[in-house]
Amino acid sequence: MSRAGTRVDAKKVNSELFTLTYGALVSQLMRDYENVEDVNKQLERMGYNIGIRLIEDFLAKTGSGRCYDFKDTAEKVQTAFRIYLGITPDITNWSPSGDEFSLQFESNPLTEFVELPDHCIGLKYCNVLTGVLRGAMEMVQMDISSVFVRDHLKGDSCTELRIKFIKRIEDAIPAGED
Amino acid sequence: MAIHNLYIFDRNGSLLFYHEWNRLKQSGMSREEEAKLMYGMLFSIKSFVSKISPLDLKKGFLSYKTNKYALHYLETPTGLKFVLNTDIHASEVRELMKKIYSQVYVEYIVKNPVCRLDEPIKSELFKEKLDELIKQSSYYTAKIA
């Protein structure tokens, strides 16, 4: 198999290429929609479609099983960021009930060469990530919501992604059984 | 040693893929009916196993054996189900199934944007690579008595 050799040690690409390609995507969306809310929505949708496929790659690569609790999930999300973006965000700000946490990014490869112009103040530049997380989690029977609460690009000291567990999605039962 | 056939089900129980290599006896029903029967049984075994287990289960149902064949079951956390029937002497079938998942399914279906994930697999490339992997494996033999 021609691609078997490259599987385990995933193809490394220059992160600048990725950063700039993503930048081109965002600026194209800005041109197409002219409305930051629509762009945010489109980015999330694209992310979702990426996430539902990316999870299979992640599971095949890491061989990880189901999560025992949400803390376990948080660690696996952290691993995934390391694998796919080469960064290790910090897991912080657990809610007392343990169903909510934050991922804090010191640096973010998506925003490396980015400055937001004034008319884009509502734009969630990295919103694709929230979609990826939602899509991937949905495939492992978890309904979550995630939202950027702090953003480097908007003058905050770091970027913070808040992730909230909503509910477990139950397995489908085949027709004719109860 | 022999590999008989392979079923792949999605998380909702629809049959994504079926292929047979060495199958001497057919079930005498349509493929759809057979797949429903198979999925129903797996579903029941799974819930049976988890209810009857005296200990906390980690992996759940893995395989069963009759005097003629062994059925091996692999379910990914995303609900994808692989069912591989082999003869009773085959070993390390789990490793082979993981390879089918990671080296064939993920590579040629998940990473192929024109393949929808919720429809039966039509990709010729997938079939080719799967066949290659099965025939490479140490316990594949062309004919069984």
Side-chain angles (χ1 to χ4, degrees):
Chain A
M1 265 186 281
S2 55
R3 283 159 74 182
T6 56
R7 242 208 81 258
V8 181
D9 181 31
K11 275 194 196 102
K12 298 264 188 282
V13 295
N14 190 331
S15 73
E16 288 181 13
L17 175 65
F18 173 62
T19 307
L20 296 174
T21 311
Y22 184 70
L25 172 77
V26 177
S27 68
Q28 184 64 48
L29 285 172
M30 285 303 284
R31 229 169 294 143
D32 289 352
Y33 289 94
E34 295 169 347
N35 172 352
V36 287
E37 277 313 308
D38 290 342
V39 175
N40 289 343
K41 219 179 282 168
Q42 282 302 321
L43 285 172
E44 209 270 351
R45 231 193 69 191
M46 285 178 186
Y48 175 81
N49 288 321
I50 295 171
I52 58 178
R53 284 177 186 258
L54 200 61
I55 183 71
E56 299 284 4
D57 184 65
F58 175 76
L59 293 170
K61 265 202 185 97
T62 60
S64 44
R66 285 179 173 281
C67 296
Y68 300 112
D69 55 21
F70 205 42
K71 287 223 159 59
D72 195 14
T73 311
E75 275 159 29
K76 284 183 176 149
V77 170
Q78 196 182 31
T79 319
F81 271 100
R82 208 183 58 234
I83 294 177
Y84 294 109
L85 290 177
I87 49 171
T88 311
D90 293 321
I91 303 169
T92 54
N93 298 338
W94 278 98
S95 67
S97 52
D99 64 347
E100 234 179 296
F101 65 92
S102 288
L103 288 174
Q104 260 180 26
F105 305 84
E106 293 289 320
S107 65
N108 181 350
L110 285 179
T111 59
E112 198 140 325
F113 312 110
V114 179
E115 261 177 61
L116 283 187
D118 291 338
H119 68 276
C120 296
I121 209 67
L123 176 69
K124 292 171 185 149
Y125 187 84
C126 300
N127 217 30
V128 75
L129 293 180
T130 61
V132 171
L133 281 167
R134 185 170 69 89
M137 298 285 206
E138 190 181 296
M139 295 302 283
V140 288
Q141 274 99 49
M142 266 188 268
D143 196 0
I144 60 145
S145 73
S146 60
V147 65
F148 280 101
V149 288
R150 283 196 290 171
D151 194 340
H152 230 40
L153 293 176
K154 292 175 184 149
D156 297 318
S157 57
C158 66
T159 300
E160 180 176 342
L161 184 59
R162 191 95 184 124
I163 297 171
K164 184 178 171 23
F165 175 81
I166 300 171
K167 66 173 190 313
R168 261 190 69 82
I169 304 166
E170 290 304 326
D171 274 352
I173 298 169
E177 292 207 37
D178 276 308
Chain B
M1 303 224 254
I3 289 173
H4 300 305
N5 55 2
L6 170 77
Y7 301 80
I8 303 176
F9 294 97
D10 75 358
R11 60 199 304 201
N12 302 317
S14 39
L15 185 68
L16 292 182
F17 183 75
Y18 175 80
H19 190 76
E20 59 190 42
W21 286 271
N22 281 312
R23 185 173 180 177
L24 299 178
K25 185 172 168 292
Q26 294 294 334
S27 58
M29 55 177 95
S30 74
R31 188 72 69 227
E32 291 82 54
E33 267 180 276
E34 186 188 292
K36 268 187 203 155
L37 196 63
M38 173 63 87
Y39 188 79
M41 180 200 66
L42 293 170
F43 190 87
S44 307
I45 290 186
K46 248 177 49 179
S47 80
F48 171 78
V49 163
S50 69
K51 284 187 183 114
I52 222 74
S53 169
L55 301 166
D56 208 11
L57 280 178
K58 289 234 160 64
K59 286 186 177 145
F61 169 55
L62 300 174
S63 65
Y64 74 68
K65 221 180 239 190
T66 71
N67 62 352
K68 282 287 183 196
Y69 76 102
L71 177 143
H72 304 266
Y73 178 73
L74 174 77
E75 183 174 342
T76 70
T78 50
L80 210 62
K81 295 159 186 78
F82 294 81
V83 179
L84 190 67
N85 289 312
T86 67
D87 73 301
I88 49 177
H89 305 294
S91 58
E92 288 175 38
V93 180
R94 235 180 148 64
E95 294 312 305
L96 177 69
M97 293 178 87
K98 282 182 185 157
K99 273 190 189 164
I100 293 175
Y101 172 57
S102 66
Q103 295 182 3
V104 185
Y105 183 81
V106 170
E107 289 296 314
Y108 299 101
I109 300 299
V110 178
K111 292 188 185 172
N112 182 352
V114 290
C115 290
R116 291 191 48 123
L117 298 181
D118 51 359
E119 281 174 4
I121 294 166
K122 293 189 201 79
S123 162
E124 284 301 325
L125 188 63
F126 171 81
K127 290 175 193 166
E128 209 176 283
K129 295 290 173 186
L130 175 69
D131 211 44
E132 221 171 86
L133 181 71
I134 294 286
K135 288 184 175 159
Q136 254 174 27
S137 69
S138 55
Y139 29 90
Y140 176 83
T141 44
K143 269 276 168 274
I144 45 159

